[in-house]
Amino acid sequence: MHQDIIPLYAADIQDQLKKQFAYLSGGRGGDGCPVITFPDYPAFSEIPEKEFQNVLTYLTSIPSLRDAGIGFILVIDRRQDKWTSVKASILRIAASFPGNLQLVLVLRPTGFFHRALSDIAFRFNKDELKMKVPIIMLGSVSELQGYIDKTQLTEDLGGTLDYCHNRWLSRRTAIEGFAQKVKQTAQILQSFGTELAETELPNDVQSTSSLLATHTEKKDKMKEDIRVAVEQGDDILGSITKPVTENPDYKLNQDQLDNQTTVERLLAQLHETETAFDEFWVKHQQKLEQCLRLRNFEQNFREVKAALDIVSERLSAFTDVGNSRSHVEHILKDLANFKEKSDETVRKAKMLASERDAFIQSNHYAVDSIIPKCSELHHLCDAFTTETERRRKLLNKSLELHDLLEKSMKWCDEGIYLLASQPVDKCQSQDGAESALQEIEKFLDTGAGNKIKELNKIYEEYAHILNEDLKDHVQKVFQKQEGMEEMFQKRQVSLKKLAAKQTRPVQPVAPRPEAFVKSPCTSPGLQRENVSNSESSALRRVNYRKGKSEMTELHQSRGGSTMDDEENLAVLRQHVMNELIETERAYVEELLCVLEGYAAEMDNPLMAHLIPPELQNKKDILFGNMEEIYHFHNRIFLRELETYVEYPELVGRCFLDQMEDFQIYEKYCQNKPRSESLWRQFSDSVFFQECQRKLDHKLSLDSYLLKPVQRITKYQLLLKEMLKYSKNCEGAEDLQEALTSILGILKAVNDSMHQIAITGYDGNLNELGKLLMQGSFSVWTDHKKGHTKVKDLARFKPMQRHLFLHEKAVLFCKKREENGEGYEKAPSYSYKHSLNMAAVGITENVKGDAKKFEIWYNAREEVYIVQAPTPEVKATWVNEIRKVLTSQLQACREASQHRTLEQTQSLPLPLPASSCASPSRNHIRNTKKMEEKKADLTSLEGCGTTVAPKYPEKGKGWAKPSHSLDASEENDGWSSAEEPLNSSDAEEEGGGGAGEIKLTPGKYTVVTDYDKGVSEEFTVKSGDLVQLIREGEDGLWFVKNLSSGREGWIPANNLLMLIGNSKSAQSLSSSGRQCILKSGTASSNLSTSSSCSDSCNVSSTSFSDIKG
């Protein structure tokens, strides 16, 4: 049969079936043979053979194989046709019918003629129409019903079988479509199942999750298709059974029953397929989910293990056991904070490791690889917890040790204070001595719980935390304790002797006062003075010990008093040293706390979300060079200080050795305004609040940013205290120098804070040299322009200017107060103009006001009358300007000497030593005579420092003013005087010594205080104006202090120290005359001369554009 070869579906030949030239009504013969009806179809002969063949093939394929095997009954209705057509139809059907035939029933034509003709023709053509089955010619429908039951015939054949061809065709199409749907679904599920089974499991979470989602999506689509197919089958089944549902008496025909069976079978097949797929999907989904769970576990394992490695590495950094109690507490706090942060990591690790049992219970396919990882996590967590606890115990042990050390140090300090607080005079009596002894014994009794008893036991008990630094600290504390106990023992011995000596009977004879007057040890104060003036401090201590054993009891007690004073000073020095070291340690710890708790956190990614965007990348502005300051103090200065703990009086050397490094504070202070401004903008930031909370600070960050400024100012106070108690000690000079240097740094810092506030200066301030002075003044101007004198400021009201004195220029600025808070409230300085120091001169006194002086420029072309706030400020500025001018003069003189020496060496004949030192005196005298004839003084430009040339050139030289005191007083008290530094004659008379200085009568400004004159009432102070009147015998000079009006004699050596280099810079009268240089026996005007430029090779063009 062709049906197995070419399967046909109703949908494929739907148009052919609609012609209804043959149909399968569903009726059955007596033995169950299917009935195919060929209704009357006039165009039967015109049906294409292909269509005819397709319809017959399809109709014979519908019944079951069993029914089709019995054979078909064909009912050919030709009642309305002709015999010729009947014959042709039978022949065509017989030739094309593809199935087995059981019986052929033909309803012959009903017309009389055609009926008779059919009977006759059938008999004659019987052999021609012979088929495999018998053909029965029927004349009526009733005859047909004799072969086929009426219920199996359709209504057009006189039967009662309910048949609608369109309904039949629609149902057949639906059933076949459903069958195809079921078949396709089964194929798709089988293909999808094969795909799932062959899929390799991914190695990462994302791929596994993506694969699971993709497969789940496909599965859901499959399930949806199955659901739609089931609904379709249920609808078909419902349409088949609908008549029975509506009418229980209705009997379905065999074809309907077969259709019902087919649909039910397809539905059952669909359900079986779905069930099998669901079972497979559950296994596949479980495998994918287990894979995803495994990949999640592996990823979490890697992350947690990496986190544990990080926290373990950070934990290993907690090796420091601290160098003080506060440091240990800080480390313990850090460790606690670290543990608190790490607890989350450990919790995650333990939670991940606890999933082991869940993997085992779920029969995970990779349980063998999971169990070792879980065990590793348990081990890491336990190791971290154990190590953290070990570190905490070590730090607690360190804290215990530092508590012991601090108790011992506190006990020692209290003991030192006790010794220092015991009044020496009250201890001279028996009751006072006994009372002091009781105080000492009572205090020593408190040492049981405070002092270190045995050093070796400390070493044994704390051996596991003792590093070299801590061990050294323990030794120092123990040595301090031993030293203090030794001091107590000495004091006890002294007090016991004082208490015991009163027990002897005292003679009732009043002592003679003369005896005490004649005694070489009249009083402790006198004795100290004699000793300090005659011997060194080491010999003094030896004499104290020797005197204590050799003197009488009275002398012994008074000598003991002196030694007690020395001991008290030593105690006070030690106290200052302890304060210096302890505060230094606290300072270093505070800096470290800020750097770790704030600065480092600004780089912490975990804190980045709390930092405002505007604050990011501004750590250098906020903290300045605090890290540099910390490293200097922590690595260098603190360690150096600790080496002087036993020699506090020598600590000045420590400061001097590191003085250059203290310059870093200038940079910090210059940045402070920017830091302060940035802090005010973001002080309310959550980031700073969180950092403060973690550090448990009561004060905010700005208080700690002020620490370096406070610390640099604290040093000078401590140095003053140390110097106060060390005046007669070996290191007193170093202490004084260190104090002066620290004050100089503070001044430089203060000056630099003002300098950076200068605005409007077109140039580099650093090119002006070091900033020497700065301050506010009232300024009047009196300028000369050409031959006409013009008062630029005829008004009486002065200009308020802030002056900045540099090595190469003086700047005039206008001070402007700024509105704001903190450092923003600091003033700014608007630049107005400047003067090149190479062309500046000064007049130190202006008549009518002791606070005024003149600064003039280019031979008084520009004159600035400057009024200082106080005479002391004026004297300081005048002295500083004088030093600048003197240094320039000295530089010019040295250059001139060098050039003169070169010229001398180039001569063909050697000259005497005196002539090599300077040019011919006759030449100078002749030149001076020529200069005396000149009526007007010529202001020369070139060197610009009010420096006279070594010898005149180009016919220009020095004028010769009067020698009289009156003339000198007209020039504001400056007299003519000799300046051997610039005089050829003086050099020759002094043996050619270029540096020898001679004193000559005249007026000078004192540069340092003096109170040791021959006359006790005669004293001078820095800034005083003194008149050297005459030189007496034994190197004494009779001097008058013009500031106080007192007179007295001063040794020449002391006088040289008092006036210093002031004579070489004596200048400048208010009458408009130029700077006076004492050379030979005549005073000459210092001028800015081109000859000086020629001889000194000094150029004045480098600052030609400075003047504003």
Side-chain angles (χ1 to χ4, degrees), residues 697-725:
H697 281 177
K698 295 181 180 179
L699 300 177
S700 55
L701 174 61
D702 59 326
S703 300
Y704 292 90
L705 293 177
L706 196 60
K707 292 291 183 181
V709 181
Q710 295 172 337
R711 186 59 182 171
I712 192 64
T713 58
K714 178 72 173 176
Y715 288 130
Q716 56 102 4
L717 299 176
L718 293 171
L719 286 172
K720 285 180 180 177
E721 285 294 307
M722 185 66 77
L723 184 61
K724 177 181 177 182
Y725 304 132

Coordinates of all heavy atoms in Angstrom, one line a residue, residues 697-725:
H697 N 38.8 60.3 69.7 CA 39.3 61.6 70.1 C 38.2 62.5 70.5 O 37.1 62.5 69.9 CB 40.0 62.3 68.8 CG 41.4 61.7 68.6 ND1 42.1 62.1 67.5 CD2 42.1 60.8 69.2 CE1 43.3 61.5 67.5 NE2 43.3 60.7 68.6
K698 N 38.5 63.2 71.6 CA 37.5 64.2 72.0 C 37.6 65.5 71.2 O 36.6 66.2 71.1 CB 37.7 64.5 73.5 CG 37.5 63.3 74.4 CD 37.7 63.7 75.9 CE 37.5 62.5 76.8 NZ 37.7 62.8 78.2
L699 N 38.8 65.8 70.7 CA 39.0 67.0 69.9 C 39.0 66.6 68.4 O 39.4 65.5 68.0 CB 40.3 67.7 70.3 CG 40.5 68.1 71.7 CD1 41.9 68.7 72.0 CD2 39.4 69.1 72.1
S700 N 38.6 67.6 67.6 CA 38.5 67.4 66.2 C 39.9 67.5 65.6 O 40.9 67.9 66.2 CB 37.5 68.4 65.5 OG 37.9 69.7 65.9
L701 N 40.0 67.3 64.3 CA 41.3 67.2 63.6 C 42.0 68.6 63.7 O 43.3 68.6 63.8 CB 41.1 66.8 62.1 CG 42.3 66.9 61.2 CD1 43.4 65.9 61.7 CD2 41.9 66.5 59.8
D702 N 41.3 69.7 63.6 CA 42.0 71.0 63.5 C 42.9 71.2 64.8 O 43.9 71.9 64.7 CB 41.0 72.1 63.4 CG 40.0 72.2 64.5 OD1 39.6 71.1 65.0 OD2 39.5 73.2 64.8
S703 N 42.4 70.6 65.9 CA 43.2 70.8 67.2 C 44.6 70.1 67.0 O 45.6 70.5 67.5 CB 42.5 70.2 68.4 OG 41.3 70.9 68.5
Y704 N 44.6 69.0 66.3 CA 45.8 68.2 66.1 C 46.7 68.8 65.0 O 47.9 68.7 65.1 CB 45.5 66.7 65.8 CG 44.9 66.0 67.0 CD1 43.5 66.0 67.2 CD2 45.7 65.4 68.0 CE1 43.0 65.4 68.3 CE2 45.2 64.8 69.1 CZ 43.8 64.7 69.2 OH 43.3 64.1 70.3
L705 N 46.0 69.4 64.1 CA 46.8 70.1 63.0 C 47.6 71.3 63.6 O 48.6 71.8 63.0 CB 45.9 70.6 61.9 CG 45.3 69.5 61.0 CD1 44.3 70.1 60.0 CD2 46.3 68.6 60.4
L706 N 47.2 71.8 64.7 CA 47.8 72.9 65.4 C 49.0 72.5 66.2 O 49.8 73.3 66.7 CB 46.8 73.7 66.3 CG 47.2 75.1 66.7 CD1 47.4 76.0 65.5 CD2 46.1 75.7 67.6
K707 N 49.1 71.2 66.5 CA 50.2 70.6 67.4 C 51.6 71.0 66.9 O 52.4 71.4 67.8 CB 50.1 69.1 67.4 CG 48.8 68.6 68.2 CD 48.8 68.9 69.6 CE 47.6 68.3 70.3 NZ 47.6 68.6 71.8
P708 N 52.0 70.9 65.6 CA 53.3 71.3 65.3 C 53.6 72.8 65.6 O 54.7 73.1 66.0 CB 53.4 71.1 63.8 CG 52.4 70.0 63.6 CD 51.3 70.3 64.5
V709 N 52.7 73.7 65.4 CA 52.9 75.1 65.7 C 53.1 75.3 67.2 O 53.9 76.0 67.7 CB 51.7 75.9 65.2 CG1 51.9 77.4 65.5 CG2 51.5 75.7 63.7
Q710 N 52.2 74.5 68.0 CA 52.4 74.7 69.4 C 53.7 74.1 69.9 O 54.3 74.6 70.8 CB 51.2 73.9 70.1 CG 49.9 74.6 69.8 CD 48.7 73.7 70.3 OE1 48.8 72.5 70.5 NE2 47.6 74.3 70.6
R711 N 54.1 73.0 69.3 CA 55.3 72.3 69.7 C 56.6 73.2 69.5 O 57.5 73.3 70.4 CB 55.5 71.0 69.0 CG 56.7 70.1 69.5 CD 56.5 69.8 71.0 NE 57.6 69.0 71.6 CZ 57.8 68.8 72.9 NH1 56.9 69.3 73.7 NH2 58.8 68.1 73.3
I712 N 56.7 73.8 68.3 CA 57.9 74.6 68.0 C 58.0 75.8 69.0 O 59.1 76.2 69.3 CB 57.9 75.0 66.6 CG1 59.3 75.6 66.2 CG2 56.8 76.0 66.3 CD1 60.4 74.6 66.2
T713 N 56.9 76.3 69.5 CA 56.9 77.4 70.4 C 57.2 76.9 71.8 O 57.6 77.6 72.7 CB 55.6 78.1 70.4 OG1 54.5 77.3 70.7 CG2 55.3 78.8 69.1
K714 N 56.9 75.6 72.1 CA 57.1 75.0 73.4 C 58.6 74.9 73.7 O 59.0 75.0 74.9 CB 56.4 73.7 73.5 CG 56.6 72.9 74.8 CD 55.8 73.6 76.0 CE 55.9 72.7 77.2 NZ 55.2 73.3 78.4
Y715 N 59.4 74.6 72.7 CA 60.8 74.3 72.9 C 61.5 75.5 73.6 O 62.3 75.3 74.5 CB 61.5 74.0 71.6 CG 61.1 72.6 71.0 CD1 60.7 72.5 69.7 CD2 61.2 71.5 71.8 CE1 60.4 71.3 69.2 CE2 60.9 70.3 71.3 CZ 60.5 70.1 70.0 OH 60.1 68.9 69.5
Q716 N 61.2 76.7 73.1 CA 61.9 77.9 73.7 C 61.5 78.1 75.2 O 62.4 78.5 76.0 CB 61.6 79.1 72.9 CG 60.1 79.4 72.7 CD 59.6 80.6 73.7 OE1 60.5 81.2 74.3 NE2 58.3 80.8 73.7
L717 N 60.3 77.7 75.6 CA 60.0 77.8 77.0 C 60.7 76.8 77.8 O 61.3 77.1 78.9 CB 58.5 77.5 77.2 CG 57.5 78.5 76.5 CD1 56.1 78.1 76.6 CD2 57.7 79.9 77.0
L718 N 60.9 75.5 77.3 CA 61.6 74.5 78.0 C 63.1 74.8 78.1 O 63.8 74.6 79.1 CB 61.4 73.1 77.4 CG 60.0 72.6 77.4 CD1 59.8 71.4 76.6 CD2 59.6 72.2 78.9
L719 N 63.6 75.4 77.0 CA 65.0 75.8 77.0 C 65.3 76.9 78.0 O 66.3 77.0 78.7 CB 65.5 76.2 75.6 CG 65.7 75.1 74.6 CD1 65.9 75.6 73.2 CD2 66.8 74.2 75.0
K720 N 64.4 77.9 78.1 CA 64.5 78.9 79.1 C 64.5 78.4 80.5 O 65.3 78.8 81.3 CB 63.4 79.9 78.9 CG 63.5 80.9 77.7 CD 62.3 81.8 77.7 CE 62.4 82.8 76.5 NZ 61.3 83.7 76.3
E721 N 63.6 77.4 80.8 CA 63.6 76.8 82.1 C 64.9 76.0 82.4 O 65.5 76.2 83.4 CB 62.4 75.8 82.2 CG 61.1 76.5 82.3 CD 61.0 77.2 83.7 OE1 61.2 76.6 84.7 OE2 60.6 78.4 83.7
M722 N 65.4 75.3 81.3 CA 66.6 74.5 81.5 C 67.8 75.5 81.7 O 68.7 75.3 82.6 CB 66.9 73.6 80.3 CG 68.1 72.7 80.4 SD 67.9 71.5 81.7 CE 66.8 70.3 80.9
L723 N 67.8 76.6 81.0 CA 68.9 77.6 81.1 C 68.9 78.2 82.5 O 69.9 78.5 83.1 CB 68.8 78.6 80.0 CG 69.9 79.7 80.0 CD1 71.3 79.0 79.7 CD2 69.6 80.7 78.8
K724 N 67.7 78.4 83.0 CA 67.5 79.0 84.3 C 68.1 78.2 85.4 O 68.7 78.8 86.4 CB 66.0 79.2 84.6 CG 65.6 79.8 85.9 CD 64.1 79.8 86.1 CE 63.7 80.3 87.5 NZ 62.2 80.4 87.6
Y725 N 68.1 76.9 85.3 CA 68.7 76.0 86.3 C 70.1 75.5 85.9 O 70.6 74.7 86.6 CB 67.8 74.8 86.5 CG 66.3 75.1 86.9 CD1 65.3 74.5 86.2 CD2 66.1 76.1 87.8 CE1 64.0 74.9 86.5 CE2 64.8 76.4 88.1 CZ 63.7 75.8 87.5 OH 62.4 76.2 87.8

